[in-house]
Coordinates of all heavy atoms in Angstrom, one line a residue:
T1 N 115.9 -36.3 5.3 CA 116.5 -35.1 5.8 C 117.0 -34.3 4.6 O 116.8 -33.1 4.6 CB 117.7 -35.5 6.7 OG1 117.1 -36.2 7.8 CG2 118.3 -34.2 7.3
E2 N 117.7 -34.9 3.7 CA 118.3 -34.2 2.5 C 117.2 -33.5 1.7 O 117.3 -32.4 1.3 CB 119.0 -35.2 1.6 CG 119.7 -34.5 0.5 CD 120.6 -35.5 -0.3 OE1 120.7 -36.7 0.1 OE2 121.0 -35.1 -1.4
N3 N 116.1 -34.2 1.5 CA 115.0 -33.6 0.7 C 114.4 -32.4 1.5 O 114.0 -31.4 0.9 CB 113.9 -34.7 0.4 CG 114.3 -35.6 -0.7 OD1 115.2 -35.3 -1.5 ND2 113.8 -36.8 -0.7
Y4 N 114.2 -32.6 2.8 CA 113.6 -31.5 3.6 C 114.5 -30.3 3.6 O 114.0 -29.2 3.4 CB 113.4 -32.0 5.0 CG 112.6 -31.0 5.8 CD1 111.2 -31.0 5.8 CD2 113.3 -30.1 6.6 CE1 110.5 -30.0 6.5 CE2 112.6 -29.2 7.4 CZ 111.2 -29.1 7.3 OH 110.5 -28.2 8.1
V5 N 115.8 -30.5 3.7 CA 116.7 -29.4 3.7 C 116.7 -28.7 2.4 O 116.6 -27.4 2.3 CB 118.2 -29.8 4.1 CG1 119.2 -28.7 3.8 CG2 118.2 -30.3 5.5
H6 N 116.7 -29.4 1.3 CA 116.6 -28.9 0.0 C 115.4 -28.1 -0.3 O 115.4 -26.9 -0.8 CB 116.8 -30.0 -1.1 CG 116.7 -29.4 -2.5 ND1 117.7 -28.7 -3.1 CD2 115.7 -29.5 -3.4 CE1 117.3 -28.4 -4.3 NE2 116.1 -28.9 -4.5
H7 N 114.2 -28.6 0.2 CA 112.9 -28.0 0.0 C 112.9 -26.6 0.8 O 112.5 -25.6 0.2 CB 111.8 -28.9 0.5 CG 110.5 -28.2 0.6 ND1 109.8 -28.0 -0.6 CD2 109.7 -27.8 1.6 CE1 108.6 -27.4 -0.3 NE2 108.6 -27.3 1.1
R8 N 113.4 -26.6 2.0 CA 113.4 -25.4 2.8 C 114.4 -24.4 2.3 O 114.2 -23.2 2.3 CB 113.7 -25.7 4.3 CG 112.6 -26.6 4.9 CD 111.2 -26.1 4.8 NE 111.0 -25.1 5.8 CZ 109.9 -24.4 5.9 NH1 108.9 -24.5 5.0 NH2 109.7 -23.6 6.9
L9 N 115.5 -24.8 1.7 CA 116.5 -23.9 1.1 C 115.8 -23.2 -0.1 O 116.0 -22.0 -0.2 CB 117.7 -24.7 0.6 CG 118.7 -25.1 1.6 CD1 119.8 -26.0 1.0 CD2 119.4 -24.0 2.3
E10 N 115.1 -23.9 -0.9 CA 114.5 -23.3 -2.0 C 113.4 -22.4 -1.6 O 113.1 -21.4 -2.4 CB 113.9 -24.4 -2.9 CG 115.0 -25.3 -3.6 CD 116.0 -24.5 -4.4 OE1 115.6 -23.6 -5.2 OE2 117.2 -24.7 -4.2
K11 N 112.8 -22.5 -0.4 CA 111.8 -21.6 0.1 C 112.4 -20.4 0.7 O 111.7 -19.5 1.1 CB 110.9 -22.3 1.1 CG 110.0 -23.4 0.5 CD 108.9 -22.8 -0.3 CE 107.9 -23.8 -0.7 NZ 106.8 -23.2 -1.5
G12 N 113.7 -20.3 0.8 CA 114.4 -19.1 1.4 C 114.6 -19.1 2.9 O 114.8 -18.1 3.4
F13 N 114.7 -20.3 3.5 CA 114.9 -20.4 4.9 C 116.4 -20.6 5.2 O 117.1 -21.2 4.4 CB 114.1 -21.5 5.5 CG 112.6 -21.1 5.6 CD1 111.8 -21.6 4.6 CD2 112.1 -20.4 6.6 CE1 110.4 -21.3 4.6 CE2 110.8 -20.0 6.6 CZ 109.9 -20.5 5.6
G14 N 116.8 -20.1 6.4 CA 118.2 -20.2 6.8 C 118.5 -21.4 7.6 O 117.7 -22.2 8.0
P15 N 119.8 -21.6 7.9 CA 120.3 -22.8 8.6 C 119.7 -22.9 10.1 O 119.5 -24.0 10.5 CB 121.8 -22.6 8.7 CG 122.0 -21.2 8.5 CD 120.9 -20.7 7.7
L16 N 119.6 -21.8 10.8 CA 119.1 -21.9 12.1 C 117.7 -22.4 12.2 O 117.3 -23.3 13.0 CB 119.2 -20.5 12.8 CG 120.6 -19.9 12.9 CD1 120.5 -18.5 13.5 CD2 121.5 -20.8 13.6
R17 N 116.8 -21.9 11.3 CA 115.4 -22.3 11.3 C 115.3 -23.8 10.8 O 114.5 -24.6 11.4 CB 114.6 -21.4 10.5 CG 113.1 -21.8 10.4 CD 112.2 -20.7 10.3 NE 110.8 -21.1 10.1 CZ 109.9 -20.4 9.7 NH1 110.1 -19.1 9.4 NH2 108.6 -20.8 9.6
I18 N 116.0 -24.1 9.8 CA 115.9 -25.5 9.3 C 116.4 -26.5 10.4 O 115.7 -27.5 10.5 CB 116.8 -25.6 8.0 CG1 116.2 -24.7 6.9 CG2 116.8 -27.1 7.6 CD1 117.1 -24.7 5.6
A19 N 117.4 -26.1 11.1 CA 117.9 -27.0 12.1 C 116.9 -27.2 13.2 O 116.7 -28.4 13.7 CB 119.2 -26.5 12.7
V20 N 116.2 -26.2 13.6 CA 115.2 -26.3 14.6 C 114.0 -27.1 14.1 O 113.5 -28.0 14.9 CB 114.7 -24.9 15.1 CG1 113.4 -25.0 15.9 CG2 115.8 -24.1 15.8
E21 N 113.6 -26.9 12.9 CA 112.5 -27.7 12.4 C 112.9 -29.2 12.3 O 112.1 -30.1 12.6 CB 112.1 -27.2 11.0 CG 111.5 -25.8 11.0 CD 111.3 -25.2 9.6 OE1 111.8 -25.8 8.6 OE2 110.6 -24.2 9.6
L22 N 114.1 -29.5 11.9 CA 114.6 -30.9 11.9 C 114.6 -31.5 13.2 O 114.2 -32.7 13.4 CB 115.9 -31.0 11.2 CG 115.9 -30.7 9.7 CD1 117.3 -30.7 9.1 CD2 115.2 -31.8 8.9
R23 N 115.1 -30.8 14.2 CA 115.1 -31.3 15.6 C 113.7 -31.6 16.1 O 113.4 -32.6 16.8 CB 115.8 -30.3 16.5 CG 117.3 -30.4 16.4 CD 118.0 -29.5 17.5 NE 119.3 -29.3 17.1 CZ 119.8 -28.2 16.5 NH1 119.0 -27.2 16.3 NH2 121.1 -28.1 16.1
E24 N 112.7 -30.7 15.7 CA 111.3 -30.9 16.1 C 110.8 -32.2 15.5 O 109.9 -32.8 16.0 CB 110.5 -29.8 15.7 CG 110.7 -28.5 16.5 CD 110.0 -27.3 15.9 OE1 109.4 -27.4 14.8 OE2 109.9 -26.3 16.6
R25 N 111.4 -32.6 14.4 CA 110.9 -33.8 13.7 C 111.7 -35.1 14.1 O 111.6 -36.1 13.5 CB 111.0 -33.6 12.2 CG 109.9 -32.7 11.7 CD 110.2 -32.2 10.3 NE 109.1 -31.5 9.7 CZ 108.7 -30.3 10.1 NH1 109.3 -29.7 11.1 NH2 107.7 -29.7 9.6
G26 N 112.6 -34.9 15.1 CA 113.3 -36.0 15.7 C 114.6 -36.4 15.0 O 115.1 -37.5 15.2
I27 N 115.1 -35.5 14.2 CA 116.4 -35.8 13.5 C 117.6 -35.4 14.4 O 117.5 -34.4 15.1 CB 116.5 -34.9 12.2 CG1 115.2 -35.2 11.3 CG2 117.8 -35.2 11.4 CD1 115.1 -36.6 10.8
G28 N 118.6 -36.3 14.4 CA 119.7 -36.0 15.3 C 120.7 -35.0 14.8 O 120.7 -34.6 13.6
D29 N 121.4 -34.4 15.7 CA 122.3 -33.3 15.4 C 123.4 -33.6 14.3 O 123.8 -32.8 13.5 CB 123.0 -32.7 16.6 CG 122.0 -31.9 17.5 OD1 121.0 -31.5 16.9 OD2 122.3 -31.7 18.7
D30 N 123.9 -34.9 14.4 CA 124.9 -35.3 13.5 C 124.4 -35.3 12.0 O 125.1 -34.8 11.1 CB 125.5 -36.6 13.8 CG 124.5 -37.7 13.9 OD1 123.3 -37.4 14.2 OD2 124.9 -38.9 13.7
L31 N 123.2 -35.7 11.8 CA 122.6 -35.8 10.5 C 122.2 -34.3 10.1 O 122.4 -34.0 8.9 CB 121.3 -36.6 10.5 CG 120.7 -37.1 9.2 CD1 121.8 -37.8 8.4 CD2 119.5 -37.9 9.5
I32 N 121.8 -33.5 11.0 CA 121.5 -32.1 10.7 C 122.8 -31.4 10.2 O 122.8 -30.7 9.2 CB 120.9 -31.4 11.9 CG1 119.5 -31.9 12.1 CG2 120.8 -29.9 11.6 CD1 118.8 -31.4 13.4
D33 N 123.8 -31.6 11.0 CA 125.1 -30.9 10.6 C 125.6 -31.4 9.3 O 126.2 -30.5 8.5 CB 126.2 -31.2 11.7 CG 125.8 -30.5 13.0 OD1 125.0 -29.6 13.0 OD2 126.4 -30.9 14.1
R34 N 125.5 -32.6 9.0 CA 125.9 -33.1 7.7 C 125.2 -32.5 6.5 O 125.8 -32.2 5.5 CB 125.7 -34.7 7.7 CG 126.4 -35.3 6.5 CD 126.4 -36.8 6.5 NE 126.2 -37.4 7.8 CZ 125.5 -38.5 8.0 NH1 124.8 -39.0 7.0 NH2 125.4 -39.0 9.2
H35 N 123.9 -32.3 6.7 CA 123.1 -31.7 5.6 C 123.1 -30.2 5.5 O 122.8 -29.6 4.5 CB 121.7 -32.3 5.6 CG 121.7 -33.7 5.2 ND1 121.9 -34.2 3.9 CD2 121.5 -34.8 6.0 CE1 121.8 -35.5 3.9 NE2 121.6 -35.9 5.1
L36 N 123.4 -29.6 6.6 CA 123.4 -28.1 6.7 C 124.8 -27.5 6.6 O 125.0 -26.3 6.7 CB 122.8 -27.6 7.9 CG 121.2 -27.7 8.0 CD1 120.7 -27.1 9.3 CD2 120.6 -27.0 6.8
D37 N 125.8 -28.4 6.4 CA 127.2 -28.0 6.3 C 127.5 -27.3 5.0 O 127.8 -28.0 4.0 CB 128.2 -29.2 6.6 CG 129.6 -28.7 6.6 OD1 129.9 -27.6 7.0 OD2 130.5 -29.6 6.2
R38 N 127.3 -26.1 4.9 CA 127.5 -25.3 3.7 C 128.5 -24.1 4.0 O 128.6 -23.8 5.2 CB 126.2 -24.8 3.1 CG 125.3 -25.9 2.8 CD 124.0 -25.3 2.2 NE 123.0 -26.4 2.0 CZ 123.0 -27.2 1.0 NH1 123.9 -27.2 0.0 NH2 122.0 -28.2 0.9
S39 N 129.1 -23.6 3.0 CA 130.1 -22.5 3.3 C 129.3 -21.3 3.8 O 128.1 -21.1 3.5 CB 130.8 -22.2 2.0 OG 130.0 -21.5 1.0
T40 N 130.0 -20.5 4.5 CA 129.5 -19.3 5.1 C 129.0 -18.4 3.9 O 127.9 -17.8 4.0 CB 130.5 -18.5 5.9 OG1 130.9 -19.4 6.9 CG2 129.9 -17.3 6.5
Q41 N 129.8 -18.3 2.9 CA 129.5 -17.5 1.7 C 128.2 -17.9 1.0 O 127.4 -17.1 0.6 CB 130.6 -17.4 0.7 CG 130.5 -16.4 -0.4 CD 130.4 -15.0 0.2 OE1 131.0 -14.6 1.2 NE2 129.6 -14.1 -0.4
E42 N 127.9 -19.2 1.0 CA 126.7 -19.7 0.4 C 125.5 -19.3 1.2 O 124.5 -18.9 0.6 CB 126.7 -21.2 0.3 CG 125.5 -21.8 -0.4 CD 125.5 -23.3 -0.5 OE1 126.5 -23.9 -0.3 OE2 124.4 -23.8 -0.8
W43 N 125.6 -19.3 2.5 CA 124.5 -18.9 3.4 C 124.2 -17.4 3.2 O 123.1 -16.9 3.2 CB 124.7 -19.2 4.8 CG 124.5 -20.7 5.1 CD1 125.5 -21.6 5.6 CD2 123.3 -21.5 4.9 NE1 124.9 -22.8 5.7 CE2 123.6 -22.8 5.3 CE3 122.0 -21.2 4.5 CZ2 122.6 -23.8 5.2 CZ3 121.1 -22.2 4.4 CH2 121.4 -23.5 4.8
I44 N 125.3 -16.6 3.1 CA 125.1 -15.2 2.9 C 124.4 -14.9 1.6 O 123.5 -14.1 1.5 CB 126.5 -14.5 2.9 CG1 127.1 -14.6 4.4 CG2 126.4 -13.0 2.5 CD1 128.5 -14.1 4.5
Q45 N 124.8 -15.6 0.5 CA 124.1 -15.5 -0.8 C 122.6 -15.9 -0.7 O 121.8 -15.2 -1.3 CB 124.8 -16.4 -1.8 CG 126.2 -15.9 -2.2 CD 126.9 -16.8 -3.1 OE1 126.5 -18.0 -3.3 NE2 128.0 -16.4 -3.7
R46 N 122.3 -16.9 0.0 CA 120.9 -17.3 0.2 C 120.1 -16.3 1.0 O 119.0 -16.0 0.6 CB 120.8 -18.7 0.8 CG 121.3 -19.8 -0.1 CD 120.9 -21.1 0.4 NE 121.2 -22.2 -0.6 CZ 120.5 -22.6 -1.6 NH1 119.4 -22.0 -1.9 NH2 120.9 -23.5 -2.4
A47 N 120.8 -15.7 2.0 CA 120.1 -14.7 2.7 C 119.9 -13.4 1.9 O 118.8 -12.8 1.9 CB 120.9 -14.3 4.0
A48 N 120.8 -13.1 1.0 CA 120.7 -12.0 0.1 C 119.6 -12.2 -0.9 O 118.8 -11.3 -1.2 CB 122.0 -11.7 -0.6
Q49 N 119.5 -13.4 -1.4 CA 118.4 -13.8 -2.3 C 117.0 -13.7 -1.6 O 116.1 -13.2 -2.2 CB 118.6 -15.2 -2.8 CG 119.8 -15.3 -3.8 CD 120.1 -16.8 -4.1 OE1 119.5 -17.7 -3.5 NE2 120.9 -17.0 -5.1
A50 N 116.9 -14.1 -0.4 CA 115.6 -14.1 0.3 C 115.3 -12.6 0.6 O 114.1 -12.2 0.4 CB 115.7 -14.8 1.7
R51 N 116.2 -11.8 0.9 CA 116.0 -10.3 1.1 C 115.5 -9.7 -0.2 O 114.6 -8.9 -0.2 CB 117.2 -9.6 1.7 CG 116.9 -8.2 2.1 CD 118.2 -7.3 2.0 NE 118.6 -7.1 0.6 CZ 118.0 -6.3 -0.2 NH1 116.9 -5.6 0.1 NH2 118.4 -6.1 -1.5
Q52 N 116.2 -10.0 -1.3 CA 115.9 -9.4 -2.5 C 114.5 -9.8 -3.0 O 113.8 -9.0 -3.6 CB 117.0 -9.7 -3.6 CG 116.8 -9.1 -4.9 CD 117.9 -9.3 -5.9 OE1 118.8 -10.2 -5.6 NE2 117.9 -8.6 -7.0
K53 N 114.2 -11.1 -2.8 CA 112.9 -11.6 -3.3 C 111.8 -10.8 -2.5 O 110.8 -10.5 -3.1 CB 112.8 -13.1 -3.0 CG 111.5 -13.7 -3.5 CD 111.5 -15.2 -3.3 CE 110.2 -15.8 -3.8 NZ 110.2 -17.2 -3.5
R54 N 112.0 -10.6 -1.3 CA 110.9 -9.9 -0.5 C 110.9 -8.4 -0.6 O 109.8 -7.8 -0.7 CB 111.2 -10.3 1.0 CG 110.3 -9.6 2.0 CD 108.9 -10.1 2.0 NE 108.1 -9.3 3.0 CZ 107.2 -9.9 3.7 NH1 106.9 -11.1 3.6 NH2 106.5 -9.1 4.6
F55 N 112.1 -7.8 -0.7 CA 112.1 -6.3 -0.6 C 112.7 -5.6 -1.9 O 112.7 -4.4 -2.0 CB 113.0 -5.9 0.6 CG 112.5 -6.3 1.9 CD1 113.0 -7.4 2.5 CD2 111.4 -5.6 2.5 CE1 112.6 -7.8 3.8 CE2 111.0 -6.0 3.7 CZ 111.5 -7.1 4.4
G56 N 113.1 -6.4 -2.9 CA 113.6 -5.8 -4.1 C 115.1 -5.7 -4.1 O 115.7 -6.0 -3.1
G57 N 115.6 -5.2 -5.2 CA 117.0 -5.2 -5.4 C 117.8 -4.1 -4.6 O 119.0 -4.4 -4.3
S58 N 117.2 -3.0 -4.4 CA 118.0 -1.9 -3.7 C 118.0 -2.1 -2.2 O 117.1 -2.6 -1.6 CB 117.4 -0.6 -4.0 OG 116.1 -0.5 -3.6
L59 N 119.2 -1.8 -1.6 CA 119.3 -1.9 -0.2 C 118.5 -0.8 0.5 O 118.2 0.2 -0.1 CB 120.8 -1.9 0.2 CG 121.6 -3.1 -0.1 CD1 123.1 -2.8 0.1 CD2 121.1 -4.3 0.6
P60 N 118.2 -1.0 1.8 CA 117.4 0.0 2.5 C 118.1 1.3 2.6 O 119.3 1.3 2.9 CB 117.2 -0.7 3.9 CG 118.2 -1.7 4.0 CD 118.5 -2.2 2.6
A61 N 117.3 2.4 2.5 CA 117.9 3.7 2.6 C 117.9 4.2 4.0 O 118.7 5.1 4.3 CB 117.1 4.7 1.7
T62 N 117.1 3.7 4.9 CA 117.0 4.2 6.2 C 117.3 3.1 7.2 O 117.2 1.9 6.9 CB 115.6 4.7 6.6 OG1 114.7 3.7 6.5 CG2 115.2 5.8 5.6
F63 N 117.7 3.5 8.4 CA 118.0 2.5 9.4 C 116.8 1.7 9.8 O 116.9 0.5 10.0 CB 118.6 3.2 10.7 CG 118.9 2.3 11.8 CD1 120.0 1.4 11.7 CD2 118.2 2.2 12.9 CE1 120.4 0.5 12.7 CE2 118.5 1.3 13.9 CZ 119.6 0.5 13.8
S64 N 115.6 2.3 9.9 CA 114.4 1.6 10.3 C 114.1 0.5 9.2 O 113.6 -0.6 9.6 CB 113.2 2.5 10.5 OG 112.9 3.2 9.3
E65 N 114.3 0.8 8.0 CA 114.0 -0.1 6.9 C 115.0 -1.3 7.0 O 114.7 -2.5 6.8 CB 114.1 0.5 5.5 CG 113.7 -0.4 4.4 CD 112.2 -0.8 4.5 OE1 111.4 -0.1 5.0 OE2 111.9 -1.9 3.9
Q66 N 116.3 -1.0 7.3 CA 117.3 -2.0 7.5 C 116.9 -3.0 8.7 O 117.1 -4.2 8.6 CB 118.7 -1.4 7.7 CG 119.7 -2.5 7.8 CD 121.1 -1.9 7.9 OE1 121.4 -0.8 7.5 NE2 122.1 -2.7 8.5
V67 N 116.4 -2.4 9.8 CA 116.0 -3.2 10.9 C 114.8 -4.1 10.5 O 114.8 -5.3 10.9 CB 115.6 -2.2 12.1 CG1 114.9 -3.0 13.2 CG2 116.8 -1.5 12.6
K68 N 113.9 -3.6 9.7 CA 112.8 -4.4 9.3 C 113.2 -5.5 8.5 O 112.8 -6.7 8.6 CB 111.8 -3.5 8.5 CG 110.6 -4.2 7.9 CD 109.8 -3.2 7.1 CE 108.6 -3.9 6.4 NZ 107.8 -3.0 5.6
Q69 N 114.2 -5.3 7.5 CA 114.7 -6.4 6.7 C 115.5 -7.4 7.5 O 115.4 -8.6 7.3 CB 115.5 -5.8 5.5 CG 114.6 -5.0 4.6 CD 115.4 -4.5 3.4 OE1 116.5 -4.9 3.1 NE2 114.8 -3.5 2.7
S70 N 116.2 -6.9 8.5 CA 117.0 -7.8 9.3 C 116.1 -8.7 10.1 O 116.4 -9.9 10.3 CB 117.9 -6.9 10.3 OG 118.9 -6.2 9.6
R71 N 115.1 -8.1 10.7 CA 114.1 -8.9 11.4 C 113.5 -10.0 10.6 O 113.3 -11.1 11.0 CB 113.0 -8.0 12.0 CG 112.2 -8.7 13.1 CD 111.2 -7.7 13.8 NE 111.8 -6.4 14.1 CZ 111.3 -5.2 13.6 NH1 110.4 -5.2 12.7 NH2 111.9 -4.1 13.9
F72 N 113.1 -9.7 9.3 CA 112.6 -10.7 8.4 C 113.6 -11.8 8.2 O 113.2 -13.0 8.3 CB 112.3 -10.0 7.1 CG 112.0 -11.0 6.0 CD1 110.8 -11.6 5.9 CD2 113.0 -11.2 5.0 CE1 110.6 -12.5 4.8 CE2 112.8 -12.1 4.0 CZ 111.5 -12.8 3.9
L73 N 114.9 -11.5 8.0 CA 115.9 -12.5 7.8 C 116.1 -13.3 9.0 O 116.4 -14.6 8.9 CB 117.2 -11.9 7.3 CG 117.1 -11.3 5.9 CD1 118.3 -10.5 5.5 CD2 116.8 -12.4 4.8
Q74 N 116.0 -12.7 10.2 CA 116.2 -13.5 11.4 C 115.1 -14.5 11.6 O 115.3 -15.6 12.0 CB 116.2 -12.5 12.6 CG 117.5 -11.8 12.8 CD 117.5 -10.9 14.0 OE1 116.4 -10.3 14.3 NE2 118.6 -10.7 14.7
Q75 N 113.9 -14.1 11.3 CA 112.7 -15.0 11.4 C 112.8 -16.1 10.4 O 112.3 -17.2 10.6 CB 111.4 -14.2 11.1 CG 111.1 -13.3 12.3 CD 109.9 -12.4 12.0 OE1 109.5 -12.3 10.8 NE2 109.3 -11.7 13.0
R76 N 113.5 -15.9 9.3 CA 113.8 -16.9 8.3 C 114.9 -17.9 8.7 O 115.0 -18.9 8.1 CB 114.2 -16.3 6.9 CG 113.0 -15.7 6.1 CD 112.1 -16.8 5.7 NE 111.0 -16.4 5.0 CZ 110.7 -16.8 3.8 NH1 111.4 -17.6 3.1 NH2 109.6 -16.4 3.2
G77 N 115.6 -17.5 9.7 CA 116.6 -18.4 10.3 C 118.1 -18.2 9.9 O 118.9 -19.0 10.0
F78 N 118.3 -16.9 9.5 CA 119.7 -16.6 9.2 C 120.3 -15.9 10.4 O 119.7 -15.3 11.2 CB 119.8 -15.6 8.0 CG 119.3 -16.2 6.7 CD1 118.0 -16.0 6.2 CD2 120.2 -17.1 6.0 CE1 117.6 -16.6 5.1 CE2 119.8 -17.7 4.8 CZ 118.5 -17.5 4.4
S79 N 121.6 -16.1 10.6 CA 122.3 -15.6 11.8 C 122.6 -14.1 11.6 O 122.6 -13.5 10.5 CB 123.7 -16.3 12.0 OG 124.6 -15.9 11.0
G80 N 122.9 -13.5 12.8 CA 123.2 -12.0 12.8 C 124.4 -11.7 11.9 O 124.4 -10.7 11.2
D81 N 125.4 -12.6 12.0 CA 126.6 -12.3 11.2 C 126.3 -12.4 9.7 O 126.8 -11.6 8.9 CB 127.7 -13.4 11.5 CG 128.3 -13.2 12.9 OD1 128.2 -12.0 13.4 OD2 128.8 -14.2 13.4
Q82 N 125.5 -13.4 9.3 CA 125.1 -13.5 7.9 C 124.3 -12.2 7.4 O 124.6 -11.7 6.3 CB 124.3 -14.7 7.6 CG 125.1 -16.0 7.9 CD 124.2 -17.2 8.0 OE1 123.0 -17.1 8.3 NE2 124.8 -18.4 8.0
I83 N 123.4 -11.8 8.2 CA 122.6 -10.6 7.9 C 123.5 -9.3 7.8 O 123.4 -8.6 6.9 CB 121.5 -10.4 8.9 CG1 120.5 -11.6 8.9 CG2 120.7 -9.1 8.7 CD1 119.6 -11.7 10.0
R84 N 124.3 -9.1 8.8 CA 125.2 -8.0 8.8 C 126.1 -8.0 7.5 O 126.4 -6.9 6.9 CB 126.1 -7.9 10.0 CG 125.4 -7.4 11.2 CD 126.3 -7.1 12.4 NE 126.8 -8.4 13.0 CZ 126.2 -9.2 13.8 NH1 125.0 -8.9 14.2 NH2 126.7 -10.3 14.3
Q85 N 126.5 -9.1 7.1 CA 127.4 -9.2 5.9 C 126.7 -8.8 4.7 O 127.3 -8.1 3.8 CB 127.9 -10.7 5.8 CG 129.1 -10.8 4.8 CD 130.3 -10.1 5.3 OE1 130.6 -10.0 6.5 NE2 131.1 -9.7 4.4
I86 N 125.4 -9.1 4.6 CA 124.6 -8.6 3.4 C 124.7 -7.1 3.3 O 124.9 -6.5 2.2 CB 123.2 -9.1 3.5 CG1 123.1 -10.6 3.4 CG2 122.3 -8.4 2.5 CD1 121.7 -11.1 3.7
F87 N 124.4 -6.4 4.4 CA 124.3 -5.0 4.4 C 125.7 -4.4 4.3 O 125.8 -3.3 3.7 CB 123.5 -4.5 5.6 CG 122.1 -4.9 5.6 CD1 121.6 -5.7 6.6 CD2 121.2 -4.5 4.6 CE1 120.3 -6.1 6.6 CE2 119.9 -4.9 4.6 CZ 119.4 -5.7 5.6
K88 N 126.7 -5.0 4.8 CA 128.1 -4.5 4.7 C 128.6 -4.6 3.3 O 129.1 -3.7 2.8 CB 129.0 -5.3 5.6 CG 130.4 -4.9 5.6 CD 131.3 -5.8 6.5 CE 132.7 -5.5 6.3 NZ 133.6 -6.5 7.0
E89 N 128.3 -5.8 2.6 CA 128.8 -5.9 1.3 C 128.0 -5.0 0.3 O 128.6 -4.5 -0.6 CB 128.6 -7.4 0.8 CG 129.6 -8.3 1.4 CD 129.3 -9.8 1.1 OE1 128.4 -10.0 0.3 OE2 130.1 -10.6 1.5
G90 N 126.8 -4.8 0.6 CA 126.0 -3.9 -0.3 C 126.4 -2.4 -0.2 O 126.2 -1.7 -1.1
S91 N 126.9 -2.0 1.0 CA 127.3 -0.6 1.1 C 128.7 -0.3 0.6 O 129.0 0.9 0.5 CB 127.3 -0.2 2.6 OG 128.2 -1.0 3.4
E92 N 129.4 -1.3 0.2 CA 130.8 -1.1 -0.3 C 130.8 -0.8 -1.7 O 129.9 -1.1 -2.5 CB 131.7 -2.3 0.0 CG 131.9 -2.5 1.5 CD 132.7 -3.8 1.8 OE1 132.8 -4.6 0.9 OE2 133.1 -4.0 2.9

């Protein structure tokens, strides 16, 4: 479980998707929680890294571009709160 989580983290996937994939492989929730228990700030940083790797360093200039990037991050398994925090911090 630990190796799988580490591998998926390095590929830019978020906690929601990793948890679903582990459940599909028969891993129990207690073990999943133990290995995905990371600080909220760390998940936000990982989401920001995945966004930057895919779309570059600058934040989206238009709402439609922000929606596109948000959808990408959702498919990667990041929560709505984590995604909103990326765009909120970037606009400050």
Side-chain angles (χ1 to χ4, degrees):
T1 301
E2 184 178 352
N3 285 335
Y4 187 83
V5 168
H6 178 72
H7 174 73
R8 298 306 275 173
L9 285 173
E10 294 303 313
K11 293 284 188 179
F13 290 96
L16 302 176
R17 179 151 176 193
I18 294 171
V20 167
E21 291 173 351
L22 288 171
R23 282 187 196 99
E24 289 173 351
R25 286 164 173 72
I27 306 298
D29 286 340
D30 57 333
L31 196 56
I32 292 171
D33 292 341
R34 190 175 334 142
H35 290 287
L36 287 181
D37 183 29
R38 301 182 186 277
S39 71
T40 302
Q41 192 59 35
E42 182 179 347
W43 286 118
I44 293 169
Q45 290 172 349
R46 291 198 176 270
Q49 289 170 350
R51 190 208 66 78
Q52 185 175 9
K53 183 177 178 182
R54 172 72 180 218
F55 298 102
S58 61
L59 289 174
T62 65
F63 181 73
S64 63
E65 188 63 29
Q66 183 175 337
V67 169
K68 178 181 177 182
Q69 292 183 19
S70 295
R71 194 175 315 117
F72 167 77
L73 292 170
Q74 282 178 327
Q75 291 172 345
R76 283 293 178 124
F78 294 100
S79 72
D81 290 336
Q82 294 163 346
I83 295 167
R84 279 189 293 279
Q85 195 66 30
I86 292 170
F87 296 116
K88 179 181 173 188
E89 288 177 0
S91 65
E92 294 175 350

